[in-house]
Structure formats: structure tokens, C-alpha cells
Amino acid sequence: MACALGHTDFLQDKKIILLESAPEKKDFKLSERYSNRTCAISPATVGLFQNIGAWDEILQMRCQPVKRMQVWESCSDSVITFNDEELMNDLAYIVENDVILEAIRRQLSSLSDRVEVRYQTSAKSYIIPGSTPGHDNVDQNTWVTIETDKGQKIQTKLLIGADGMNSAVRKAGKFHVFQQDYKQQAVVATLEVSGTSDNSVAWQRFLPTGPIAMLPLSSNYSCLIWTTSPTKAKYLKDLQDDNFVDAVNDAFWHERDKDSTVMSISQKYQELLNYVFSDNQVVRQLPPTVVGVDPGSRASFPLSLNHSSNYVKPRVALIGDAAHRLHPLAGQGVNLGFGDVSCLSQVLNEAVQSGSDVGSLYYLSKYETERQRAVLPVVMTIHGLHHLYNTDFSPVVLLRSLGLQSTNALQFVKNKIIQQASS
Amino acid sequence: MFSKRCICRIISTSRLGSQNKRWHSNHARPIAQSTIDEEEREKFQKLSHTWWNETGEFQALHALNALRVPWITNSLVEKQDQPPPLHTKPLLGLQILDAGSGGGILSEPLARLGANMIGVDMVEDNIRVAQTHLEEDPSICGSVKYIQATVEDLVETNEDAFDAVVASEVVEHVSNIDTFLTSCCKIIKPGGSIFLTTINKTALSYTTGVLAAEYLLRLVPIGTHDWEKFISPEDLQFLLDKCGFSTTLIHGMMYNPLTRRWSWISNSSVNYGLHAVKLHPQTSETSSKENSTDSVERSD
């Protein structure tokens, strides 16, 4: 966000401070081993990175384009594949978090005249007029005061909370937030896969306990994101490396959940679809076999749905996970966050161009409306998908299988989905 | 300080130069020596405390900035020969008067864009509110001066001093428009601009601007506007021509109460904006009244 603001034309006279609790990593060396925290970056986010000059840096380091995506499940044979053959565009890019952070850090240091980054500094307390106890009756136009852990006091016209799902800014601003614990954990790891010359496919299989996904990092390595119950997650983390590899392969290949009734109905339905859409045959590819796992790369984190009812208040704005946090099953969370960044910097640019105070609610609420319109449908869809695939109840399996097969047959619907996910 | 005498005369006037079919008034505005109206002053004193609440009673006025600030800025920049040296401060070096500055809602953004602002208002409380709020933003503190006065008070010492005068949502509260505009004319430099936003005097403006806005939708407090004081663009243009201005733009505006945003529209039967330029002394004698009404493409 700070980088985007630093690049914004009309904000060049404004003073921007970024409080970063981590130390500055001046000597970043790209490690040979891949990190287990990655993001699936959409084309729209690539556009943002290009605007701030970070994309070239990322390309120089490393990232893997995804040209094709295959999603299927364990209870039936229905499958959906996404590829953007006509437009020759990549669907997404898998980039490690560390690589993105380093690219942005380099850009920030080149903007040091406009953006001041205070590393190893975090805010100890916030005084937000109208929200903080003791300041309830203060005019909401009064500036926000922040006290850092180093005792510095900063007064600002606009406080942007980009501090993640447990946002302190959100709490200080007394934003009402809708929370639901999914009671699942996402297990991540770096996997070594059987060498395919072109590891550019993203694989996701829905199991009744949660989806398992493999995202390509290079021709030999892929990133694993396996959503499952907390007990299973602990079990997986405690396994020996070999046994873990077997568990992953088994999750992708096993046929134990197959429901025979559903299978026969869906097969007949598929024959019908093949007849009607004869030029759009189902092409089912097989995911690569996992041959190894990077030692020490296994980790897990809990999953929940968080959505703040408001993204803004006078002089405060929330972006990214602080405003909305979703299930990772569609890889949309981080892209929505980057969408917030683009939108907010554009709105602030407009505000300054009109001579307005940057903390003015008129412009901030424009940001909120636009982003809620983009975020809420995605949140609801993903939440819905999570519940749809979280069961092995036959009627539901049948419904979702037929639905998936139908969608797979309709190229224009898939194109729409790709378009939506890329924006 | 201000003359409190008020002479009322009932004259049947025919609105000069008007073509619109609308309500005819049998009363002229009371002719006062200054443009102060006692009732107006009391009305605003009650409101001064809530000026800066963006979601309060003045929401529509705050929202209007999104329309009038770019309009004023672009019009003034276009008149310059060269593009502004600092594009984040396009109004740098310009002296602008905000007539009827109220709580300073318009003065502050214009100051942020580089202008040297003077805001005048007849209500002392408003000046106080505006000054207090101004002091909260150090970046514009030195660029704005608020004075409790009327435009007439400035005439003696400020002849030809201003690059522009902005009278936004003001003339419908003034008791003698003629005096007001004449004074504005005297203090504007030749070639300088006057920007007015006000409400037309039509049946529609009574229904939407008074009845709906005040009583039904409560967009503004009841009693804010007196329909008798509304003026049509043609009448306004006529008065401006008399004072030595040439009108360059009249454009309708509309407030959407659902989205709470203003937009430019081609219909000026309710709210409208007018931009006129003070003619240079030699040209004002020779040029005939230029009644050009342009519709400008506005992209929101």
C-alpha cells in the first residue's frame, strides 16, 4: 500500500509513514529452497505490481506462471478445467511471499523521499476520535494519534490498517466484524514432484475433509496447500517425510470416496454433454506424482472467515486481511487485498486532486462501496463452495457433480469465471 | 457595524430577460443598504456547530465540493497561458475570495490546491468555526484568512484585487443581489472570474429544493431556503451583464439523495452553476452581451 501511494501522482507532497514490525531485510538472498508461503497472483495484481515497479523485480527473482487449472473431487468423476488458450494469457502466477516482500522493499527504498518506513516499530496504541474510550465525543475530524512502541507519537490525517486478520487498527476503530471459524487448518509444504517438463498446472481436489491443492513453483517443485481438520493437520505434520509423501499422493489419487450411484448418473449426464457440446470434450489430466517433501517446510495455520461490516470510518481505512479474510480454496484472498490497494490509492488520488482532506469520509466511503461490491460476492461464493464440498452426502454430491460437469461444458461461463478471478 | 435598516417595497416587477414559464413574484426583494439579512444570520448561528460533520446536516454541501472544486480549478487553469508549474497546486499564486464562506467547507480545498484564500461571512460563529478548523491542518493555515464582513465591506480597500470570487450557495440567502454582484465586480481583477452556484426560481425548484429537500428528505434543515430569494440563470446573467461580466457557462447540477453525490446535468431548473468573466474596461463598452450557454461534457 505504501509503495502504491508513493507512486501515486497527486500524493507526492504528502508525508507517508509505514510502521513495519519486522526488521529490514537489507541482505536478501534468494534461497535455493522454496518457501512454503506462496501466493497465487492474478493478472490484475500483476498490473498493480507493474505500476509500482515491483513486477520486474519479481520476474528477475522467480515466479511460475499457471497456464492451466484442474479442479475435481473425490466423491465423483466430475472435473473442471480452466485454461485461457485463446488469449494466451497466464491464469495466475505463483510467487513466494518472500519474493514479493523483497521486490516491494526494494521499490520502497527508492521512494525514501516520499515514504518513510520505520522498521521494527509497531503501534502500541491508537487514539481514534469517536472510537477510542475517553475520546468518544471528540470531533471526528480530529487527526488520529498513534503511539509507537518506541514512544514516538505520530498524528495523521489518515490511518490505513493493513495489519492482517487480527488487525489492531480494526479493533481500535471499533469496527464490527463478522467471524466464523472454519474449524480447519491449512497444511502447507514444499513438494518435490516427478519431473515434468512443463509444471504449469494448478491442481485442486476437493475431499470431504477439505480441498488439497498443488501449485507449481518450478519444473521440479510445487507448493502444497491441504485444508483439513485440526487433528488430521497435526497428524500430517508429525508424519515422517516418506509417509507424508504417501499421504499426499493418496489424497490426490484414492478412489475410496467414490459414490457409485452418483457415478452412474453423472456418467450418463456426461455422455449427454459430450453429445451436445461435441467440440468441448472433457480432458482429464493426471497430476504429477509427489516424490519428496522439503524437510522442515511443513507448517499449518487455522482458517476462518472474517469480514468487517465497514471498511472505513472517518480518518481510518482497512485493507486486505484486516478488512476481509477468506478460505484459501480459490486463491482469491491476497488478490482481493491487492485490489483494495489499487482502489484506495486511486480514490486518495482523486481526493487530493479535488483539494479534499485525505481522511475525508466522502472519498473513503467511495473506496468502501467499490470494494464491498467486489469482495462480498467472492466471499459468499467461496463460503458457499466450502460448504458445498465439505460433505459426502449423496444428493449434494450429485448436485455439485452435475453442476460442475455443466459448467465445464460451457466455455463462455468458464471464461467469465476466469475474467472475474483475474480482475 | 452593519446597517440594520431594511426598507420593504412592494413592486410588481416583470422579470427582465426571462423566457421561462414559472411562478411570478409580486414582491421585490427588500432593498437593504447591505446584503445582510437578520433572519439569515440567526438561522446560521444555530447551524455553525455542525458544519464539519460530513454525514450531518451539511452533507450535501461537503458532497458539492466534488463538483465545484474541480470546476473552479479547471476553469481558472484553462484561462492561464501556461500549465501550472506545480500540478499538485494548480491554483498557486491566485487570490480567491470565498463569499459566504460559512464553516470553510469550500475555502479549505481551494487552499490545498495552492490558492490564497480569503473567506468572508457575516456570522461571527461561522468565522470562528472556520478558523478553528483551519488551525487543525498546518499545511493550509497560512493560506486562508477568514474575515467577518460582507463583500461590500471589502470594496474600498480591495479594488481589482481578486483573480476569482466564489459565491457558492450564497446568492439565494442574500437580500440584494444587485449590490452583492456590483461589489463582487469591483473587487475582481479585469479578466478575473466569478463562480456562482445557486437555485433556480421555478415550480420544480420549490417542490424539490424546498419541499422535498427540507421537509420530506431532510437533506437540509427546514427553513434553510426561501423560494422568494431564488433566481433564474437568465436573471442572474442579466444582472451580471449589467455589472460588466460576460457569462461563459451555465450548467445544471443535481443531488442524488440515494447516492448522496452531485452530478452535472443539462437541466438547470433546480440547481445550477454559472461562470462569468469580468470584462476588461475597453471591451465592456464595445462588446454586446454575450449570452452563450454552453453545455460542457462532464465525466464523473
Side-chain angles (χ1 to χ4, degrees):
Chain A
M1 180 82 232
C3 205
L5 290 177
H7 276 274
T8 308
D9 202 18
F10 280 89
L11 293 171
Q12 50 179 269
D13 300 334
K14 307 293 173 189
K15 201 162 164 244
I16 304 167
I17 297 181
L18 167 64
L19 296 180
E20 169 60 64
S21 55
E24 186 176 8
K25 295 183 184 133
K26 285 221 177 96
D27 306 307
F28 177 83
K29 281 197 191 67
L30 202 58
S31 70
E32 274 183 37
R33 288 168 52 177
Y34 283 87
S35 153
N36 60 5
R37 297 304 297 266
T38 60
C39 296
I41 303 293
S42 71
T45 308
V46 172
L48 168 67
F49 285 165
Q50 280 169 333
N51 282 343
I52 61 176
W55 186 242
D56 287 334
E57 307 267 8
I58 292 174
L59 288 176
Q60 275 173 22
M61 287 187 269
R62 60 187 177 214
C63 75
Q64 182 73 357
V66 174
K67 292 195 165 48
R68 198 167 169 274
M69 210 182 306
Q70 180 168 303
V71 179
W72 72 112
E73 62 158 307
S74 60
C75 299
S76 81
D77 260 343
S78 59
V79 65
I80 188 167
T81 58
F82 293 98
N83 48 5
D84 211 358
E85 278 161 357
E86 301 123 38
L87 299 172
M88 299 297 285
N89 271 340
D90 299 323
L91 291 172
Y93 298 86
I94 309 300
V95 191
E96 294 153 274
N97 285 6
D98 288 340
V99 169
I100 300 176
L101 287 174
E102 172 59 19
I104 294 178
R105 189 203 66 78
R106 286 183 198 169
Q107 282 304 304
L108 272 179
S109 52
S110 73
L111 291 170
S112 51
D113 54 335
R114 285 209 242 167
V115 183
E116 182 194 334
V117 189
R118 293 191 193 173
Y119 288 99
Q120 290 186 287
T121 313
S122 57
K124 202 171 68 175
S125 68
Y126 301 96
I127 297 176
I128 297 174
S131 302
T132 311
H135 293 84
D136 299 358
N137 292 323
V138 171
D139 183 349
Q140 294 204 323
N141 275 289
T142 316
W143 295 22
V144 173
T145 312
I146 303 152
E147 195 181 337
T148 69
D149 54 352
K150 295 197 162 55
Q152 300 153 330
K153 271 215 167 98
I154 308 171
Q155 281 195 307
T156 179
K157 277 181 178 173
L158 175 64
L159 172 65
I160 300 176
D163 44 352
M165 67 174 190
N166 291 319
S167 169
V169 174
R170 190 183 68 218
K171 291 189 184 122
K174 297 243 173 25
F175 285 83
H176 174 261
V177 63
F178 172 79
Q179 272 173 320
Q180 189 182 340
D181 185 1
Y182 279 125
K183 297 198 176 43
Q184 287 181 320
Q185 294 248 342
V187 177
V188 294
T190 311
L191 304 171
E192 194 184 339
V193 296
S194 56
T196 42
S197 52
D198 183 24
N199 188 13
S200 63
V201 185
W203 311 92
Q204 176 154 296
R205 189 185 200 199
F206 280 100
L207 306 171
T209 48
I212 180 167
M214 206 165 20
L215 306 174
L217 286 170
S218 73
S219 47
N220 288 324
Y221 285 91
S222 287
C223 175
L224 171 79
I225 302 142
W226 188 349
T227 305
T228 185
S229 66
T231 22
K232 182 94 191 264
K234 185 170 190 315
Y235 165 72
L236 288 170
K237 279 196 293 184
D238 291 339
L239 282 178
Q240 295 287 327
D241 286 350
D242 299 337
N243 295 337
F244 181 75
V245 169
D246 291 337
V248 173
N249 280 326
D250 177 63
F252 272 111
W253 294 85
H254 81 79
E255 313 259 302
R256 294 188 296 275
D257 294 331
K258 289 263 163 80
D259 185 325
S260 45
T261 356
V262 174
M263 294 280 288
S264 43
I265 301 175
S266 75
Q267 238 166 1
K268 295 275 183 305
Y269 186 63
Q270 190 58 47
E271 278 165 35
L272 173 66
L273 285 174
N274 287 346
Y275 175 68
V276 174
F277 299 96
S278 45
D279 53 344
N280 195 5
Q281 299 296 324
V282 175
V283 176
R284 177 198 286 279
Q285 280 190 335
L286 302 169
T289 319
V290 181
V291 299
V293 61
D294 218 359
S297 70
R298 272 179 275 169
S300 74
F301 52 92
L303 300 178
S304 62
L305 167 66
N306 288 18
H307 189 266
S308 177
S309 312
N310 290 96
Y311 293 179
V312 300
K313 276 196 173 179
R315 300 211 180 282
V316 184
L318 299 175
I319 59 172
D321 277 10
H324 43 75
R325 199 231 174 182
L326 348 164
H327 200 284
L329 64 78
Q332 290 301 300
V334 81
N335 292 307
L336 287 177
F338 285 121
D340 292 349
V341 170
S342 295
C343 181
L344 186 57
S345 47
Q346 217 176 327
V347 161
L348 291 179
N349 195 26
E350 259 180 60
V352 173
Q353 238 183 319
S354 306
S356 168
D357 186 324
V358 286
S360 148
L361 197 59
Y362 180 85
Y363 289 94
L364 290 180
S365 54
K366 222 175 167 186
Y367 154 75
E368 179 186 66
T369 310
E370 212 178 293
R371 288 315 294 165
Q372 286 199 334
R373 279 189 194 153
V375 169
L376 278 168
V378 176
V379 167
M380 296 199 300
T381 311
I382 292 181
H383 193 64
L385 282 175
H386 161 77
H387 282 296
L388 186 64
Y389 279 96
N390 213 22
T391 173
D392 55 2
F393 188 46
S394 293
V396 179
V397 176
L398 180 62
L399 207 68
R400 70 194 190 206
S401 302
L402 298 181
L404 199 67
Q405 284 171 277
S406 312
T407 316
N408 193 35
L410 300 168
Q411 189 59 40
F412 73 91
V413 175
K414 290 202 288 184
N415 285 346
K416 212 67 186 81
I417 297 175
I418 294 175
Q419 208 182 14
Q420 188 59 36
S422 306
S423 60
Chain B
M1 240 190 300
F2 310 103
S3 165
K4 292 196 168 108
R5 281 186 295 131
C6 198
I7 305 163
C8 290
R9 237 184 275 164
I10 298 172
I11 302 169
S12 67
T13 53
S14 60
R15 288 296 186 185
L16 302 157
S18 69
Q19 313 282 314
N20 283 358
K21 207 167 67 159
R22 52 186 175 12
W23 301 105
H24 279 278
S25 164
N26 287 327
H27 306 270
R29 289 162 183 256
I31 297 168
Q33 277 206 319
S34 65
T35 54
I36 305 304
D37 193 85
E38 263 308 315
E39 284 173 359
E40 299 291 323
R41 210 200 305 188
E42 270 172 32
K43 213 161 40 183
F44 279 99
Q45 259 167 351
K46 286 184 201 137
L47 304 175
S48 61
H49 294 292
T50 48
W51 278 98
W52 282 95
N53 183 353
E54 274 187 275
T55 51
E57 286 166 4
F58 291 97
Q59 184 164 59
L61 220 49
H62 281 281
L64 190 55
N65 274 351
L67 223 59
R68 53 187 177 172
V69 173
W71 170 48
I72 296 168
T73 313
N74 292 338
S75 309
L76 291 174
V77 165
E78 267 166 23
K79 275 169 40 178
Q80 319 274 18
D81 296 321
Q82 295 145 349
L86 198 59
H87 75 284
T88 51
K89 293 211 185 304
L91 301 177
L92 201 59
L94 297 180
Q95 188 76 36
I96 303 180
L97 176 77
D98 183 4
S101 48
I105 295 177
L106 181 56
S107 299
E108 288 196 14
L110 291 176
R112 273 194 202 101
L113 293 173
N116 239 330
M117 296 299 303
I118 293 193
V120 290
D121 199 282
M122 55 186 182
V123 181
E124 194 187 338
D125 278 358
N126 289 354
I127 298 292
R128 268 198 250 127
V129 163
Q131 188 65 39
T132 319
H133 193 267
L134 177 72
E135 278 157 16
E136 289 181 22
D137 190 350
S139 62
I140 46 170
C141 246
S143 319
V144 189
K145 201 164 133 195
Y146 291 111
I147 308 171
Q148 187 192 359
T150 63
V151 177
E152 296 70 49
D153 298 333
L154 298 178
V155 168
E156 266 182 50
T157 46
N158 288 282
E159 219 172 300
D160 288 359
F162 291 95
D163 294 289
V165 166
V166 183
S168 178
E169 305 304 298
V170 155
V171 294
E172 66 264 27
H173 301 288
V174 138
S175 51
N176 190 315
I177 285 197
D178 225 335
T179 322
F180 178 80
L181 292 177
T182 318
S183 312
C184 286
C185 188
K186 292 204 182 110
I187 58 175
I188 298 179
K189 291 179 188 163
S193 290
I194 184 167
F195 296 91
L196 299 131
T197 73
T198 187
I199 310 179
N200 200 342
K201 194 171 181 180
T202 59
L204 189 61
S205 73
Y206 184 71
T207 340
T208 55
V210 181
L211 280 184
E214 290 183 18
Y215 292 89
L216 274 176
L217 301 170
R218 308 286 166 127
L219 295 171
V220 285
I222 292 175
T224 304
H225 289 122
D226 177 4
W227 186 81
E228 294 294 338
K229 289 190 177 157
F230 291 176
I231 183 168
S232 75
E234 291 77 17
D235 287 349
L236 189 56
Q237 191 177 342
F238 176 75
L239 292 174
L240 285 167
D241 285 350
K242 236 176 50 172
C243 297
F245 284 100
S246 162
T247 304
T248 57
L249 175 78
I250 297 176
H251 210 296
M253 306 181 317
M254 186 188 77
Y255 182 65
N256 184 333
L258 296 169
T259 60
R260 284 170 281 167
R261 299 219 187 285
W262 285 88
S263 48
W264 292 105
I265 55 169
S266 49
N267 186 323
S268 53
S269 350
V270 187
N271 297 84
Y272 65 94
L274 187 151
H275 174 210
V277 174
K278 177 173 170 179
L279 298 164
H280 292 266
Q282 57 269 34
T283 51
S284 64
E285 288 159 12
T286 51
S287 76
S288 51
K289 299 190 186 98
E290 289 169 31
N291 291 330
S292 60
T293 351
D294 308 299
S295 266
V296 176
E297 286 291 316
R298 291 282 166 189
S299 57
D300 267 79

